[in-house]
Amino acid sequence: MRTVLRLLRHELRLFVSLVLWAARRTHGTGRGRAFGYARGQGAVMFGFAFVCVVETVVMSVLLHRWPAVHQVVLVLDVYTVVIVVGLHAASVVRPHVLEPGALRIRYAAHVDLRIPLERIATVRRELRTTHEKADGVLDVIVTGQTTVTLELAEPITHVGFFGRRREVGVVRVHADDADAFVGAVTRARPAPVPPLADRTGLRA
């Protein structure tokens, strides 16, 4: 039941994002500075949506002799197109946000992690195009890459899409303007604290 509720909540956020996108408004940026990450994925997402539209037309032609089946497939195809566009809209209207005292890392409607600035030990520009799963590392990947690495002085709890909780000490994200992102976070955070990895003798 919880999984169903999470899925419904996620889809509701996508529909809200479509409305905000159409109105050229953003979500949750009123108290801070926004940093976008969706610039590079737009062509990919709309390319995927176009493929879905083509499939819808083809299936309509193939199934015109079976009206009932055609109606079901048409609804599913249109819904898929809406979801794809909604995912991109959510990425646009829900950017990363540097708030007073915290950095909010987001991706579309399913990642929203608030990191207290005092927990950030180091922040640096680091382009990565390969990401292996590792304990204590959260990779928020956009179009197959991350451009900024945050090392934390103390781990924080990340709650996944289906409610799984885990502690993370390194967070890698993508930002369209990585230099501005790194500079703003560096200026906003308090005096540096050694990264957790340095103090434990471990590296992610």
Side-chain angles (χ1 to χ4, degrees):
M1 188 63 181
R2 288 184 179 180
T3 299
V4 174
L5 290 175
R6 288 180 184 276
L7 289 172
L8 290 175
R9 190 182 306 120
H10 178 259
E11 294 192 8
L12 178 61
R13 288 172 180 169
L14 293 184
F15 289 120
V16 171
S17 297
L18 283 169
V19 174
L20 292 174
W21 190 40
R24 298 193 175 188
R25 297 178 59 186
T26 56
H27 174 273
T29 60
R31 297 179 60 243
R33 179 179 174 184
F35 293 92
Y37 52 81
R39 185 189 304 158
Q41 76 172 16
V44 175
M45 297 299 285
F46 282 108
F48 185 43
F50 177 75
V51 171
C52 292
V53 171
V54 171
E55 180 192 15
T56 300
V57 174
V58 171
M59 294 303 294
S60 295
V61 173
L62 294 176
L63 297 174
H64 73 281
R65 294 183 180 179
W66 299 277
V69 178
H70 173 234
Q71 292 297 322
V72 172
V73 173
L74 178 62
V75 170
L76 291 175
D77 284 343
V78 171
Y79 185 73
T80 299
V81 173
V82 172
I83 292 298
V84 170
V85 177
L87 285 169
H88 179 63
S91 297
V92 173
V93 304
R94 295 172 181 266
H96 306 310
V97 184
L98 180 58
E99 302 175 336
L103 175 63
R104 193 173 178 183
I105 299 298
R106 303 199 285 184
Y107 180 64
H110 49 275
V111 174
D112 194 342
L113 176 68
R114 184 174 274 103
I115 306 174
L117 291 177
E118 65 270 16
R119 296 280 187 97
I120 300 175
T122 66
V123 53
R124 64 181 181 274
R125 177 168 184 168
E126 182 182 31
L127 175 63
R128 281 179 174 254
T129 55
T130 58
H131 302 82
E132 296 182 2
K133 289 187 177 181
D135 291 338
V137 178
L138 174 64
D139 293 316
V140 186
I141 305 168
V142 179
T143 59
Q145 67 178 16
T146 57
T147 55
V148 177
T149 297
L150 300 149
E151 293 192 36
L152 308 183
E154 298 292 341
I156 60 174
T157 302
H158 171 249
V159 181
F161 182 79
F162 292 108
R164 180 192 173 199
R165 304 171 71 89
R166 68 187 185 102
E167 300 296 303
V168 296
V170 175
V171 180
R172 301 190 183 107
V173 303
H174 175 74
D176 292 334
D177 190 344
D179 290 330
F181 182 92
V182 170
V185 174
T186 299
R187 290 189 296 271
R189 67 193 176 97
V193 176
L196 178 66
D198 289 347
R199 289 181 284 120
T200 60
L202 298 175
R203 276 282 171 182

